Amino acid sequence: MKRVITFGTFDVFHIGHLRILERARALGRYLLVGVSTDQMNFDKKRHFPVYTQNERMEIISSIRYVDEVFLEESLDLKRHYLLKHHADVLVMGDDWSGKFDEFSDICEVRYLTRTPSISTTAIIEKIKTP
Ligand code: C2G
């Protein structure tokens, strides 16, 4: 039974997020999702997500492809999360291509093609523009 793990903010949940979760789950029998904390986002992007970490966790855990969610507190803890959750496959979108190759000593690392033409930033811009 392959355990697949993926990570993300999943803010303003959209079809690109849904599709990567569906494709990640199809690579195994159990999908774990590390949802980035509000603080981790603030440290990285200097702003907080639109939805809180509890709201984003609630949304992700209700997706039928997802078996378990946990909070990702720091990018630096990735190896710890992979080991703790006994991950066989790490899946990320190809905007992260090559960035997690160092973990191929403990699990398979796969980068999946992002769904084109959609992002949280583009949605926010579209809503803002009159
Ligand atoms: N994604 C996608 N297609 C899109 C948009 C996003 O496949 N059009 C994927 C991303 O590649 C990522 C996942 O959806 O694998 C979640 O995207 P984000 O919320 O933008 O994740 P991010 O903030 O990049 O993750 O350890 C990584 C961190 O948690 C940060």
Side-chain angles (χ1 to χ4, degrees):
M1 177 176 120
K2 272 198 181 170
R3 292 166 66 84
V4 183
I5 196 165
T6 192
F7 296 84
T9 310
F10 301 101
D11 194 24
V12 188
F13 193 83
H14 59 67
I15 192 72
H17 295 146
L18 185 66
R19 288 188 184 148
I20 200 158
L21 294 175
E22 180 181 14
R23 287 180 295 155
R25 179 61 167 73
L27 294 174
R29 295 286 300 279
Y30 195 87
L31 178 61
L32 298 123
V33 182
V35 175
S36 315
T37 59
D38 295 336
Q39 189 60 49
M40 178 174 154
N41 267 268
F42 187 81
D43 293 344
K44 205 167 62 173
K45 302 176 187 165
R46 307 320 294 171
H47 64 81
F48 286 109
V50 176
Y51 297 157
T52 65
Q53 63 193 43
N54 288 344
E55 290 166 339
R56 291 180 287 111
M57 291 261 286
E58 199 174 327
I59 291 166
I60 299 301
S61 62
S62 73
I63 303 293
R64 75 159 82 115
Y65 312 116
V66 175
D67 297 291
E68 198 175 322
V69 295
F70 62 93
L71 281 174
E72 180 192 27
E73 309 225 26
S74 162
L75 269 180
D76 299 334
L77 290 172
K78 199 146 262 113
R79 183 173 290 273
H80 161 77
Y81 295 129
L82 296 175
L83 292 170
K84 180 178 175 198
H85 294 287
H86 306 285
D88 299 300
V89 188
L90 166 62
V91 168
M92 291 302 294
D94 62 3
D95 46 326
W96 289 94
S97 222
K99 300 258 166 56
F100 299 123
D101 288 356
E102 66 190 279
F103 304 121
S104 50
D105 60 333
I106 50 169
C107 65
E108 186 186 338
V109 181
R110 298 278 296 262
Y111 304 100
L112 303 184
T113 310
R114 275 168 69 96
T115 300
S117 316
I118 186 141
S119 69
T120 300
T121 312
I123 293 169
I124 292 170
E125 281 309 310
K126 197 167 173 179
I127 293 168
K128 262 201 227 161
T129 313

